[in-house]
Amino acid sequence: MPVYLDHNATTPLDARVLEAMLPYLMEHHGNPSSVHRFGRTGRAAIDQAREQVAELVNAHPSQVVFTSGGTEANNLAIKGVAAGKKPGYIAIGATEHPSVSEAASSLTKQGWKITPLPVDGQGRLIEAEVDSILHLGTALVSVMWANNETGVVQDVAAVGSKVRARGGLLHTDAVQAAGKIAVDFSASGAHLMSLSAHKFNGPKGVGALIVDKTVELEPLLHGGGQEKDRRSGTENVAAIVGFGAAASMTKSRLTDYAARLAPLRDRLESELRALGGIEIFGAAAERLPNTVCFGAMGIDGETLLLGLDRAAIAVSSGSACASTNREPSTVLLSMGVDADVALSAIRVSLGFGNTENDIEVFMTALTTQLRQLQRMAGRAVG
Ligand code: PLP
């Protein structure tokens, strides 16, 4: 049986979520903008999903704008805020996902200046640096709730109060945090928050941007005026219904998630440490209960990943979204990790289906692979 340990890349669709979606792919096929009963059925389903998603992150349903996923939500937040303002400064965390950093970089053509907020060796934002970098001219700050590669969790509320004190707007990419740890939009001080359903057993291709009512947001997509003019296009009703069902399910099992996965993660880490020559990135920081990112000295992470794949174990090297890219992870580089150590990185991300047996299978395969690779490296040198 293959062992799937790549849940930060994506998670399997839950059977209950699929069940909730199926009627909206078949009999309830109406366009939610239609006035007739077919349309009204779709509209009601979207309204219910909006409430379920809002409840997951303690937001108001009117603040939920459905999108095609986390990437679109991040782009909408950054470009949508910038479009309504005179170009100035945007500050973003040094370890942001490319859908934030590239969206921000694209604005430099219009005269925006992008300032990175540095992190320490554990991947945490450095508070004193945040204080010195933010100023009254910083229109927007984007700081992720939890990192996709290391699982390091940021103190978003602390950044929120600094940003608000300077009259700026705060966006947080909570794509990896929602469904894994408690995420409270209202308490965080954030004005905008991105979510994606496929990271917590919902369908791919659907997400949301949570938007505080004080934010002036220019849409990316113009057209029929869906989502209160913030995101035009006929809604993907079945996917939105699935997103809502996954949000409800995930909220009810949040305590269970940490209770089940943190002990597996801790066991994995202590066995990795016992191997020797292993560095666990961000180990001293607060992290998601499911994520372990480690480097094995002198080993190429990509080769190790392929060896594990041959043993039917799925993990990731660096970020899944950038797995065709052979550059060392910018997340690890910004934490001060040497490039060669960063190139050895492997990310294991656990999910609800994983068991103690999966950890045993992984450790056995890893030990075999490491021995082989070390022997080959020794032969190449000697
Ligand atoms: N933000 C983070 C932190 C992510 O990990 C990802 C996906 O890996 C995204 C955004 C993009 O989300 P989506 O896959 O829904 O476009």
Side-chain angles (χ1 to χ4, degrees):
M1 273 288 278
V3 176
Y4 186 76
L5 301 172
D6 201 14
H7 293 81
N8 285 9
T10 196
T11 55
L13 189 71
D14 188 277
R16 288 159 291 180
V17 173
L18 175 65
E19 206 180 310
M21 292 170 68
L22 282 174
Y24 295 91
L25 288 164
M26 302 287 284
E27 63 261 38
H28 303 317
H29 58 76
N31 184 324
S33 296
S34 299
V35 176
H36 51 62
R37 63 193 58 225
F38 290 87
R40 289 200 305 274
T41 305
R43 170 67 44 215
I46 291 177
D47 287 346
Q48 192 198 349
R50 203 182 297 286
E51 280 172 23
Q52 291 167 317
V53 169
E55 210 184 320
L56 174 65
V57 295
N58 192 28
H60 191 272
S62 64
Q63 295 173 319
V64 177
V65 179
F66 287 117
T67 64
S68 65
T71 299
E72 186 189 328
N74 284 339
N75 273 266
L76 177 58
I78 308 249
K79 296 176 188 167
V81 164
K85 295 186 187 298
K86 211 160 69 54
Y89 290 85
I90 294 176
I92 65 166
T95 61
E96 295 305 308
H97 189 265
S99 53
V100 165
S101 55
E102 295 295 321
S105 296
S106 75
L107 294 172
T108 55
K109 288 188 227 88
Q110 294 158 32
W112 285 89
K113 298 199 172 48
I114 315 301
T115 328
L117 298 169
V119 294
D120 64 14
Q122 299 298 320
R124 296 169 294 216
L125 288 167
I126 306 166
E127 280 224 21
E129 298 271 356
V130 174
D131 273 324
S132 66
I133 287 170
L134 298 190
H135 51 79
L136 289 173
T138 312
L140 177 66
V141 177
S142 183
V143 165
M144 70 202 318
W145 200 293
N147 185 266
N148 43 305
E149 293 182 38
T150 60
V152 170
V153 174
Q154 301 295 350
D155 188 346
V156 175
V159 181
S161 57
K162 292 181 201 300
V163 176
R164 281 180 183 259
R166 291 161 176 90
L169 294 177
L170 175 67
H171 164 250
T172 181
D173 174 354
V175 164
Q176 289 291 347
K180 297 185 179 125
I181 51 173
V183 169
D184 188 322
F185 176 71
S186 306
S188 70
H191 299 85
L192 303 119
M193 175 188 280
S194 301
L195 301 172
S196 176
H198 75 100
K199 305 292 186 183
F200 49 87
N201 305 101
K204 294 171 183 60
V206 64
L209 182 66
I210 313 292
V211 189
D212 184 77
K213 66 174 186 310
T214 57
V215 176
E216 279 176 43
L217 193 73
E218 190 62 31
L220 294 180
L221 301 180
H222 298 86
Q226 287 87 347
E227 295 297 283
K228 295 212 181 77
D229 258 343
R230 296 172 293 188
R231 204 276 185 183
S232 284
T234 301
E235 299 88 337
N236 187 347
V237 183
I240 290 172
V241 167
F243 185 14
S248 280
M249 185 185 73
T250 211
K251 184 163 169 69
S252 65
R253 69 177 191 195
L254 214 49
T255 339
D256 205 21
Y257 184 89
R260 278 182 52 183
L261 298 189
L264 288 183
R265 190 265 319 259
D266 293 347
R267 175 179 169 190
L268 174 59
E269 289 193 357
S270 71
E271 293 189 15
L272 284 171
R273 285 200 176 92
L275 287 180
I278 298 276
E279 181 178 353
I280 295 172
F281 304 115
E286 185 191 342
R287 280 176 303 148
L288 295 173
N290 78 320
T291 309
V292 181
C293 186
F294 67 92
M297 307 311 163
I299 297 292
D300 177 54
E302 199 73 7
T303 313
L304 179 53
L305 178 148
L306 294 173
L308 290 168
D309 183 44
R310 282 194 295 277
I313 295 171
V315 294
S316 168
S317 68
S319 156
C321 306
S323 62
T324 49
N325 190 345
R326 291 287 293 133
E327 296 295 309
S329 145
T330 55
V331 171
L332 297 179
L333 293 183
S334 66
M335 290 163 65
V337 175
D338 286 341
D340 53 339
V341 178
L343 279 170
S344 78
I346 290 286
R347 177 188 69 187
V348 174
S349 47
L350 307 170
F352 249 97
N354 290 131
T355 60
E356 297 273 349
N357 186 55
D358 294 340
I359 305 294
E360 277 158 37
V361 172
F362 172 75
M363 284 307 300
T364 307
L366 178 73
T367 314
T368 311
Q369 288 297 323
L370 285 177
R371 267 199 216 114
Q372 258 177 30
L373 292 172
Q374 275 152 357
R375 248 198 326 267
M376 278 160 62
R379 218 180 285 141
V381 174

